[in-house]
Amino acid sequence: MTELVKTIAEAIDDKKGKNIVILDLSDVDGAITSAFVICNADSTTQVSAIADGVAEKVREELGEKPWRIEGTTNSVWVAMDYVDVVVHIFQTELREFYNIEELWADVPSQHFGTQD
């Protein structure tokens, strides 16, 4: 686990993000990133708080800013692109609907923190 992935996962855990999963895409030919960090929250307020917490902790500890952030307007699915790592913060129902982990079921995955 890279320092960036670890810092992101810790920031999500700090804001009580649920079901944190890290997908390792580093050995996937043509993958747009090396890793996905995925979590969910039960409200748009918490989705926003998690995104803000990730941006703040990564900036403070690693001096990095996301290249792009999408989804903050409605905060049902926020994607944060750190180039080597993409963070997906879903509202719980939307995560269940899109089920990204199933799409990438053949890559190594790791759970982080307390699982809800």
Side-chain angles (χ1 to χ4, degrees):
M1 179 181 327
T2 68
E3 195 64 29
L4 178 57
V5 169
K6 181 176 179 274
T7 302
I8 290 167
E10 288 172 350
I12 293 168
D13 196 45
D14 289 348
K15 296 294 182 181
K16 309 295 187 232
K18 296 181 178 182
N19 304 312
I20 304 166
V21 175
I22 300 159
L23 301 180
D24 181 357
L25 307 174
S26 59
D27 291 332
V28 177
D29 287 339
I32 61 167
T33 189
S34 296
F36 283 159
V37 181
I38 306 165
C39 73
N40 58 278
D42 292 330
S43 70
T44 56
T45 303
Q46 189 181 13
V47 168
S48 292
I50 292 169
D52 291 345
V54 167
E56 181 179 334
K57 187 171 183 116
V58 170
R59 185 180 63 253
E60 287 176 357
E61 293 190 9
L62 303 177
E64 292 189 41
K65 294 180 181 179
W67 179 69
R68 189 171 182 103
I69 301 174
E70 294 290 337
T72 56
T73 303
N74 60 13
S75 294
V76 294
W77 176 1
V78 172
M80 304 177 75
D81 186 349
Y82 282 93
V83 182
D84 285 339
V85 179
V86 175
V87 184
H88 296 276
I89 308 164
F90 289 97
Q91 255 196 306
T92 301
E93 300 80 28
L94 209 58
R95 181 177 184 179
E96 292 168 1
F97 178 79
Y98 283 104
N99 199 4
I100 288 179
E101 293 96 324
E102 186 62 31
L103 294 173
W104 294 94
D106 57 339
V107 302
S109 65
Q110 176 181 357
H111 291 272
F112 184 92
T114 308
Q115 299 304 304
D116 293 323

